[in-house]
Amino acid sequence: MLPTQLGALVADPAPGVPEALDVAGSLDHALADGLARMSPAALAGFADAFCGSPLRDRVAEAVDKIAAGSVSDEHLLALAGARSALFGAVHDALLGQADAALGRTRQAWPGGSGEAASAGNLLAGSRSWLRELAITGWRGVDHDLVTAAGQVIEASLAQPRLRRLATLLDGLAAELRACSPIATMDRLPVRRWGDLWSRAMLLAQDGGRTVPAEPVTGRLLLLGADVHEHATAVQVQIHGILETPGGAPRLVRTSVAAPKVDTIVGPAVWRLFAGHPVLLGALAERLTLDVTDMPLLAGGDLVWSDAQAKAGPPADPFATARVLLADAVAPAVPPLERHPARIGEPVLVEGYTAVDGAFTLADQTIVVDTGRLPACGPLTPQLVAASHACIGLLRWDDGGWSLQPLAVLTMVKRQPVPVHTTDWALGPTDPKVVKAAAAAGDAVAVLRERAGRLLRK
């Protein structure tokens, strides 16, 4: 990214974003207190915001009915859809601003086709629980209300079509359970819980359109990887550029995930992905990957399978970014993914000065989010602060743009050295870390041995 591009992005925030978020916040606060206790004027501004949109009549009717004490699935769907539309508009404005600053071309979203299979009873059960949450409000949630979702979540997890919804509901229920008693909390994560509730309401509707995956064959050049780690799960999301015969280079992602326990931390998490040796080898050794007939979703995600990939020669991610990133075509954003928190655009930044957690280029400064650096890799805030080039994800959070480092060129013993979040994908290379891991023992091996012992009983 050139200094002028970064400056244009940071200095000229998209107009109307704070106002749109304030409107969505009125619904979030109503959900916190509970729609059963909502004052008639609580959502008046929310309804007024849609007076010039196709949602005007449905939102106005929903607000009037709920204020009168009638809360139906149809009315809640209207509120959830309107809230998602607000965040979608914010997302589109911000992403459009980023694309213009970067000179990035983006594909259009294709129309869906066909009706997705559904399990009506499970969807109805999910909507029923979400309706009770909305009526009661986050402050009124108790143990009985949280556990009421258990049966429908368990049944939905067994249905591939409903697994995304079931996982979302399971995560929401777990957060509510962990925060109980919610009534005593000083501050609620109202926006986060509002995001989860509204997305779940949309996923819990009958039917739906699907966009078939496109099988692709070509060369995948890796840029870097973002590691999302929680106590019970870990996901590695890899960003790269796909070259196909006769086509323009495309920005793509691919992800692999694994369940875990909270005792598996640091470099040990890579052991959970032993079933993907081709991908791990390419990440650790910075190799290209030749993919054959691998499904590519319309949102730019490759459905990863080691069986459809073959490791190729080495490729420097920084050289890849310098040569191909500017002309790579970005994927379309799926409708339900249009949210500012979802923005994560790969960029290359060079020639900056790193001071106090920020990069400065041509008198413009962008915050560097080192809090997202994973503990399973060698990249640290100190190495980022000593760097002069960075491949990262451009993100928007808390009212401003920030950069999440995935890889840096940094000075080690006065020599420029590339450091990536995935350098330890095949195991740590730092002797001190290797020694510490040996002293702590292999948590993954111990847990697998214990699980095997239980299964043999």
Side-chain angles (χ1 to χ4, degrees):
M1 187 195 296
L2 298 175
T4 54
Q5 294 173 314
L6 179 64
L9 188 63
V10 175
D12 185 23
V17 168
E19 293 80 1
L21 296 178
D22 286 343
V23 172
S26 63
L27 175 58
D28 293 341
H29 289 292
L31 289 172
D33 296 329
L35 299 183
R37 289 177 289 277
M38 184 186 74
S39 67
L43 293 180
F46 186 84
D48 291 343
F50 292 90
C51 63
S53 79
L55 295 174
R56 177 188 60 187
D57 294 339
R58 294 195 64 177
V59 174
E61 179 186 3
V63 170
D64 290 343
K65 293 291 186 180
I66 290 173
S70 174
V71 183
S72 69
D73 288 351
E74 180 183 359
H75 301 144
L76 294 180
L77 174 61
L79 293 185
R83 185 187 183 282
S84 296
L86 281 172
F87 279 96
V90 171
H91 168 276
D92 291 352
L94 293 170
L95 190 59
Q97 182 189 35
D99 284 345
L102 299 171
R104 184 161 291 173
T105 302
R106 187 168 300 275
Q107 294 177 321
W109 179 254
S113 62
E115 292 292 330
S118 65
N121 59 328
L122 295 178
L123 293 176
S126 300
R127 292 195 299 269
S128 176
W129 185 65
L130 293 168
R131 183 173 62 250
E132 290 301 315
L133 287 179
I135 292 172
T136 304
W138 306 124
R139 298 186 189 279
V141 171
D142 56 18
H143 177 75
D144 291 339
L145 181 52
V146 173
T147 57
Q151 187 173 359
V152 69
I153 291 173
E154 182 178 358
S156 298
L157 283 170
Q159 300 286 333
R161 150 75 173 86
L162 302 180
R163 198 157 291 157
R164 176 171 292 184
L165 170 63
T167 303
L168 193 159
L169 294 178
D170 191 33
L172 176 57
E175 287 192 24
L176 295 175
R177 186 180 297 109
C179 292
S180 295
I182 296 175
T184 63
M185 293 179 64
D186 294 332
R187 185 178 180 183
L188 303 184
V190 291
R191 179 173 293 178
R192 173 174 172 78
W193 288 350
D195 285 341
L196 298 177
W197 179 85
S198 59
R199 183 177 176 88
M201 279 297 302
L202 296 175
L203 290 174
Q205 303 306 308
D206 293 306
R209 296 285 181 177
T210 59
V211 179
E214 169 195 0
V216 293
T217 298
R219 184 173 69 153
L220 178 62
L221 298 105
L222 305 181
L223 294 171
D226 184 15
V227 181
H228 310 147
E229 186 176 351
H230 301 277
T232 59
V234 60
Q235 180 192 55
V236 180
Q237 185 178 69
I238 299 101
H239 295 262
I241 296 177
L242 178 67
E243 294 182 318
T244 55
R250 288 191 276 184
L251 279 172
V252 296
R253 297 177 301 269
T254 190
S255 302
V256 290
K260 64 183 285 290
V261 294
D262 54 9
T263 56
I264 300 176
V265 294
V269 302
W270 293 110
R271 295 284 307 279
L272 301 173
F273 300 105
H276 304 285
V278 175
L279 183 60
L280 292 189
L283 290 173
E285 299 173 6
R286 300 166 200 163
L287 307 177
T288 60
L289 288 162
D290 296 318
V291 299
T292 304
D293 292 332
M294 188 171 288
L296 177 64
L297 303 180
D301 291 283
L302 286 166
V303 182
W304 185 260
S305 170
D306 259 33
Q308 294 170 274
K310 181 181 178 181
D316 177 13
F318 283 91
T320 298
R322 293 187 189 104
V323 174
L324 295 176
L325 190 55
D327 296 324
V329 178
V333 181
L336 287 183
E337 301 292 335
R338 292 167 57 243
H339 191 289
R342 187 257 188 206
I343 296 175
E345 290 296 303
V347 294
L348 171 65
V349 185
E350 297 182 288
Y352 51 79
T353 302
V355 180
D356 296 330
F359 291 165
T360 300
L361 297 89
D363 299 326
Q364 293 294 341
T365 299
I366 186 167
V367 174
V368 181
D369 188 358
T370 55
R372 292 177 181 261
L373 294 177
C376 60
L379 190 55
T380 63
Q382 292 75 23
L383 291 173
V384 172
S387 67
H388 59 273
C390 175
I391 296 174
L393 297 179
L394 185 65
R395 294 194 178 278
W396 191 90
D397 188 29
D398 197 24
W401 292 99
S402 64
L403 184 68
Q404 175 192 348
L406 302 181
V408 298
L409 280 176
T410 190
M411 301 304 293
V412 178
K413 296 181 179 179
R414 299 184 180 181
Q415 295 295 323
V417 176
V419 183
H420 296 249
T421 58
T422 58
D423 283 347
W424 293 348
L426 294 179
T429 56
D430 187 327
K432 294 180 180 179
V433 177
V434 173
K435 184 177 180 181
D442 191 338
V444 176
V446 171
L447 290 170
R448 283 175 176 166
E449 191 278 331
R450 291 178 180 176
R453 190 187 308 165
L454 290 172
L455 290 172
R456 290 193 296 271
K457 288 184 177 179

mmCIF file of all heavy atoms in Angstrom, residues 375-405:
data_model
loop_
_atom_site.group_PDB
_atom_site.id
_atom_site.type_symbol
_atom_site.label_atom_id
_atom_site.label_comp_id
_atom_site.label_asym_id
_atom_site.label_seq_id
_atom_site.Cartn_x
_atom_site.Cartn_y
_atom_site.Cartn_z
ATOM 1 N N ALA A 375 -0.548 -16.625 20.033
ATOM 2 C CA ALA A 375 0.529 -17.145 20.886
ATOM 3 C C ALA A 375 1.195 -18.369 20.286
ATOM 4 O O ALA A 375 2.222 -18.820 20.796
ATOM 5 C CB ALA A 375 -0.029 -17.489 22.265
ATOM 6 N N CYS A 376 0.639 -18.917 19.196
ATOM 7 C CA CYS A 376 1.186 -20.131 18.596
ATOM 8 C C CYS A 376 2.264 -19.836 17.559
ATOM 9 O O CYS A 376 2.763 -20.754 16.907
ATOM 10 C CB CYS A 376 0.071 -20.954 17.954
ATOM 11 S SG CYS A 376 -0.817 -20.092 16.644
ATOM 12 N N GLY A 377 2.630 -18.574 17.376
ATOM 13 C CA GLY A 377 3.645 -18.218 16.397
ATOM 14 C C GLY A 377 4.701 -17.318 16.994
ATOM 15 O O GLY A 377 4.571 -16.828 18.123
ATOM 16 N N PRO A 378 5.774 -17.047 16.243
ATOM 17 C CA PRO A 378 6.891 -16.262 16.776
ATOM 18 C C PRO A 378 6.715 -14.751 16.667
ATOM 19 O O PRO A 378 7.542 -13.996 17.188
ATOM 20 C CB PRO A 378 8.064 -16.717 15.902
ATOM 21 C CG PRO A 378 7.428 -17.032 14.585
ATOM 22 C CD PRO A 378 6.060 -17.590 14.904
ATOM 23 N N LEU A 379 5.685 -14.289 15.982
ATOM 24 C CA LEU A 379 5.517 -12.855 15.760
ATOM 25 C C LEU A 379 5.053 -12.180 17.051
ATOM 26 O O LEU A 379 4.021 -12.546 17.620
ATOM 27 C CB LEU A 379 4.510 -12.619 14.639
ATOM 28 C CG LEU A 379 4.391 -11.188 14.104
ATOM 29 C CD1 LEU A 379 5.738 -10.656 13.651
ATOM 30 C CD2 LEU A 379 3.391 -11.129 12.953
ATOM 31 N N THR A 380 5.812 -11.197 17.512
ATOM 32 C CA THR A 380 5.538 -10.504 18.768
ATOM 33 C C THR A 380 5.417 -9.005 18.523
ATOM 34 O O THR A 380 5.864 -8.487 17.491
ATOM 35 C CB THR A 380 6.668 -10.746 19.774
ATOM 36 O OG1 THR A 380 7.894 -10.177 19.246
ATOM 37 C CG2 THR A 380 6.860 -12.233 20.045
ATOM 38 N N PRO A 381 4.828 -8.259 19.476
ATOM 39 C CA PRO A 381 4.761 -6.802 19.329
ATOM 40 C C PRO A 381 6.140 -6.167 19.189
ATOM 41 O O PRO A 381 6.294 -5.158 18.481
ATOM 42 C CB PRO A 381 4.065 -6.359 20.619
ATOM 43 C CG PRO A 381 3.247 -7.531 21.034
ATOM 44 C CD PRO A 381 4.054 -8.727 20.640
ATOM 45 N N GLN A 382 7.152 -6.743 19.836
ATOM 46 C CA GLN A 382 8.494 -6.180 19.738
ATOM 47 C C GLN A 382 9.044 -6.304 18.314
ATOM 48 O O GLN A 382 9.683 -5.375 17.795
ATOM 49 C CB GLN A 382 9.430 -6.891 20.720
ATOM 50 C CG GLN A 382 9.123 -6.619 22.188
ATOM 51 C CD GLN A 382 7.902 -7.368 22.695
ATOM 52 O OE1 GLN A 382 7.511 -8.399 22.122
ATOM 53 N NE2 GLN A 382 7.284 -6.861 23.759
ATOM 54 N N LEU A 383 8.800 -7.455 17.674
ATOM 55 C CA LEU A 383 9.252 -7.630 16.296
ATOM 56 C C LEU A 383 8.495 -6.715 15.341
ATOM 57 O O LEU A 383 9.067 -6.195 14.379
ATOM 58 C CB LEU A 383 9.087 -9.090 15.882
ATOM 59 C CG LEU A 383 10.031 -10.092 16.571
ATOM 60 C CD1 LEU A 383 9.646 -11.524 16.197
ATOM 61 C CD2 LEU A 383 11.483 -9.812 16.202
ATOM 62 N N VAL A 384 7.206 -6.515 15.611
ATOM 63 C CA VAL A 384 6.418 -5.604 14.778
ATOM 64 C C VAL A 384 6.959 -4.175 14.909
ATOM 65 O O VAL A 384 7.091 -3.445 13.921
ATOM 66 C CB VAL A 384 4.931 -5.666 15.174
ATOM 67 C CG1 VAL A 384 4.134 -4.589 14.441
ATOM 68 C CG2 VAL A 384 4.347 -7.039 14.879
ATOM 69 N N ALA A 385 7.304 -3.787 16.134
ATOM 70 C CA ALA A 385 7.811 -2.433 16.360
ATOM 71 C C ALA A 385 9.157 -2.199 15.694
ATOM 72 O O ALA A 385 9.508 -1.053 15.381
ATOM 73 C CB ALA A 385 7.920 -2.177 17.860
ATOM 74 N N ALA A 386 9.912 -3.268 15.449
ATOM 75 C CA ALA A 386 11.227 -3.139 14.808
ATOM 76 C C ALA A 386 11.165 -3.384 13.303
ATOM 77 O O ALA A 386 12.195 -3.450 12.643
ATOM 78 C CB ALA A 386 12.209 -4.123 15.449
ATOM 79 N N SER A 387 9.971 -3.501 12.753
ATOM 80 C CA SER A 387 9.824 -3.879 11.346
ATOM 81 C C SER A 387 9.821 -2.663 10.430
ATOM 82 O O SER A 387 9.633 -1.521 10.869
ATOM 83 C CB SER A 387 8.524 -4.671 11.160
ATOM 84 O OG SER A 387 7.398 -3.842 11.387
ATOM 85 N N HIS A 388 9.982 -2.948 9.125
ATOM 86 C CA HIS A 388 9.903 -1.889 8.112
ATOM 87 C C HIS A 388 8.984 -2.273 6.950
ATOM 88 O O HIS A 388 8.788 -1.478 6.034
ATOM 89 C CB HIS A 388 11.300 -1.552 7.585
ATOM 90 C CG HIS A 388 12.013 -2.716 6.973
ATOM 91 N ND1 HIS A 388 12.766 -3.602 7.710
ATOM 92 C CD2 HIS A 388 12.080 -3.155 5.688
ATOM 93 C CE1 HIS A 388 13.276 -4.521 6.926
ATOM 94 N NE2 HIS A 388 12.875 -4.279 5.683
ATOM 95 N N ALA A 389 8.445 -3.484 6.963
ATOM 96 C CA ALA A 389 7.460 -3.914 5.963
ATOM 97 C C ALA A 389 6.505 -4.887 6.638
ATOM 98 O O ALA A 389 6.913 -5.663 7.512
ATOM 99 C CB ALA A 389 8.134 -4.569 4.760
ATOM 100 N N CYS A 390 5.252 -4.842 6.229
ATOM 101 C CA CYS A 390 4.238 -5.647 6.907
ATOM 102 C C CYS A 390 3.162 -6.096 5.926
ATOM 103 O O CYS A 390 2.647 -5.283 5.139
ATOM 104 C CB CYS A 390 3.595 -4.835 8.043
ATOM 105 S SG CYS A 390 2.223 -5.654 8.898
ATOM 106 N N ILE A 391 2.848 -7.385 5.959
ATOM 107 C CA ILE A 391 1.635 -7.904 5.321
ATOM 108 C C ILE A 391 0.605 -8.040 6.432
ATOM 109 O O ILE A 391 0.868 -8.694 7.454
ATOM 110 C CB ILE A 391 1.881 -9.269 4.663
ATOM 111 C CG1 ILE A 391 2.883 -9.146 3.519
ATOM 112 C CG2 ILE A 391 0.560 -9.852 4.137
ATOM 113 C CD1 ILE A 391 3.279 -10.486 2.918
ATOM 114 N N GLY A 392 -0.524 -7.407 6.267
ATOM 115 C CA GLY A 392 -1.514 -7.431 7.328
ATOM 116 C C GLY A 392 -2.923 -7.367 6.794
ATOM 117 O O GLY A 392 -3.147 -7.299 5.583
ATOM 118 N N LEU A 393 -3.867 -7.398 7.713
ATOM 119 C CA LEU A 393 -5.283 -7.285 7.387
ATOM 120 C C LEU A 393 -5.776 -5.908 7.808
ATOM 121 O O LEU A 393 -5.628 -5.513 8.972
ATOM 122 C CB LEU A 393 -6.093 -8.374 8.108
ATOM 123 C CG LEU A 393 -5.773 -9.815 7.735
ATOM 124 C CD1 LEU A 393 -6.638 -10.771 8.550
ATOM 125 C CD2 LEU A 393 -5.960 -10.063 6.250
ATOM 126 N N LEU A 394 -6.322 -5.187 6.858
ATOM 127 C CA LEU A 394 -6.905 -3.885 7.140
ATOM 128 C C LEU A 394 -8.273 -4.111 7.775
ATOM 129 O O LEU A 394 -9.155 -4.728 7.174
ATOM 130 C CB LEU A 394 -7.030 -3.081 5.855
ATOM 131 C CG LEU A 394 -7.526 -1.645 5.989
ATOM 132 C CD1 LEU A 394 -6.526 -0.807 6.767
ATOM 133 C CD2 LEU A 394 -7.777 -1.041 4.605
ATOM 134 N N ARG A 395 -8.459 -3.621 8.998
ATOM 135 C CA ARG A 395 -9.703 -3.836 9.741
ATOM 136 C C ARG A 395 -10.285 -2.501 10.188
ATOM 137 O O ARG A 395 -9.579 -1.489 10.283
ATOM 138 C CB ARG A 395 -9.457 -4.725 10.954
ATOM 139 C CG ARG A 395 -9.042 -6.155 10.599
ATOM 140 C CD ARG A 395 -9.138 -7.068 11.805
ATOM 141 N NE ARG A 395 -8.795 -8.452 11.519
ATOM 142 C CZ ARG A 395 -9.625 -9.341 10.994
ATOM 143 N NH1 ARG A 395 -10.862 -8.968 10.688
ATOM 144 N NH2 ARG A 395 -9.244 -10.582 10.774
ATOM 145 N N TRP A 396 -11.572 -2.544 10.459
ATOM 146 C CA TRP A 396 -12.257 -1.372 10.997
ATOM 147 C C TRP A 396 -12.916 -1.774 12.303
ATOM 148 O O TRP A 396 -13.701 -2.725 12.361
ATOM 149 C CB TRP A 396 -13.314 -0.869 10.010
ATOM 150 C CG TRP A 396 -13.875 0.481 10.391
ATOM 151 C CD1 TRP A 396 -13.407 1.706 10.023
ATOM 152 C CD2 TRP A 396 -15.020 0.734 11.210
ATOM 153 N NE1 TRP A 396 -14.177 2.700 10.567
ATOM 154 C CE2 TRP A 396 -15.176 2.135 11.302
ATOM 155 C CE3 TRP A 396 -15.926 -0.081 11.882
ATOM 156 C CZ2 TRP A 396 -16.204 2.728 12.034
ATOM 157 C CZ3 TRP A 396 -16.944 0.499 12.611
ATOM 158 C CH2 TRP A 396 -17.081 1.899 12.680
ATOM 159 N N ASP A 397 -12.572 -1.054 13.360
ATOM 160 C CA ASP A 397 -13.114 -1.407 14.669
ATOM 161 C C ASP A 397 -13.107 -0.166 15.552
ATOM 162 O O ASP A 397 -12.167 0.648 15.502
ATOM 163 C CB ASP A 397 -12.267 -2.519 15.306
ATOM 164 C CG ASP A 397 -12.885 -3.071 16.586
ATOM 165 O OD1 ASP A 397 -14.114 -3.045 16.694
ATOM 166 O OD2 ASP A 397 -12.130 -3.510 17.462
ATOM 167 N N ASP A 398 -14.162 -0.036 16.354
ATOM 168 C CA ASP A 398 -14.241 1.043 17.341
ATOM 169 C C ASP A 398 -14.055 2.422 16.702
ATOM 170 O O ASP A 398 -13.383 3.296 17.242
ATOM 171 C CB ASP A 398 -13.199 0.820 18.441
ATOM 172 C CG ASP A 398 -13.499 1.654 19.692
ATOM 173 O OD1 ASP A 398 -14.672 2.014 19.902
ATOM 174 O OD2 ASP A 398 -12.559 1.947 20.451
ATOM 175 N N GLY A 399 -14.653 2.586 15.529
ATOM 176 C CA GLY A 399 -14.676 3.905 14.912
ATOM 177 C C GLY A 399 -13.473 4.283 14.086
ATOM 178 O O GLY A 399 -13.348 5.441 13.670
ATOM 179 N N GLY A 400 -12.562 3.342 13.817
ATOM 180 C CA GLY A 400 -11.394 3.703 13.023
ATOM 181 C C GLY A 400 -10.752 2.490 12.383
ATOM 182 O O GLY A 400 -11.069 1.343 12.699
ATOM 183 N N TRP A 401 -9.816 2.770 11.461
ATOM 184 C CA TRP A 401 -9.100 1.712 10.768
ATOM 185 C C TRP A 401 -7.886 1.277 11.575
ATOM 186 O O TRP A 401 -7.259 2.073 12.273
ATOM 187 C CB TRP A 401 -8.641 2.193 9.386
ATOM 188 C CG TRP A 401 -9.763 2.439 8.427
ATOM 189 C CD1 TRP A 401 -10.329 3.643 8.107
ATOM 190 C CD2 TRP A 401 -10.470 1.449 7.673
ATOM 191 N NE1 TRP A 401 -11.347 3.457 7.200
ATOM 192 C CE2 TRP A 401 -11.462 2.129 6.911
ATOM 193 C CE3 TRP A 401 -10.366 0.071 7.565
ATOM 194 C CZ2 TRP A 401 -12.327 1.465 6.058
ATOM 195 C CZ3 TRP A 401 -11.236 -0.597 6.708
ATOM 196 C CH2 TRP A 401 -12.205 0.099 5.967
ATOM 197 N N SER A 402 -7.561 0.003 11.474
ATOM 198 C CA SER A 402 -6.363 -0.532 12.116
ATOM 199 C C SER A 402 -5.766 -1.602 11.218
ATOM 200 O O SER A 402 -6.405 -2.067 10.268
ATOM 201 C CB SER A 402 -6.675 -1.114 13.498
ATOM 202 O OG SER A 402 -7.549 -2.222 13.397
ATOM 203 N N LEU A 403 -4.541 -1.985 11.529
ATOM 204 C CA LEU A 403 -3.834 -2.991 10.743
ATOM 205 C C LEU A 403 -3.445 -4.139 11.654
ATOM 206 O O LEU A 403 -2.791 -3.942 12.682
ATOM 207 C CB LEU A 403 -2.585 -2.382 10.102
ATOM 208 C CG LEU A 403 -1.789 -3.282 9.157
ATOM 209 C CD1 LEU A 403 -2.595 -3.558 7.887
ATOM 210 C CD2 LEU A 403 -0.452 -2.646 8.804
ATOM 211 N N GLN A 404 -3.840 -5.352 11.276
ATOM 212 C CA GLN A 404 -3.474 -6.558 12.018
ATOM 213 C C GLN A 404 -2.321 -7.246 11.307
ATOM 214 O O GLN A 404 -2.490 -7.761 10.210
ATOM 215 C CB GLN A 404 -4.665 -7.517 12.116
ATOM 216 C CG GLN A 404 -4.318 -8.835 12.779
ATOM 217 C CD GLN A 404 -5.405 -9.875 12.627
ATOM 218 O OE1 GLN A 404 -6.528 -9.556 12.221
ATOM 219 N NE2 GLN A 404 -5.098 -11.118 12.942
ATOM 220 N N PRO A 405 -1.127 -7.296 11.900
ATOM 221 C CA PRO A 405 0.015 -7.918 11.219
ATOM 222 C C PRO A 405 -0.147 -9.429 11.073
ATOM 223 O O PRO A 405 -0.558 -10.116 12.005
ATOM 224 C CB PRO A 405 1.203 -7.585 12.134
ATOM 225 C CG PRO A 405 0.731 -6.459 13.001
ATOM 226 C CD PRO A 405 -0.743 -6.679 13.174
#
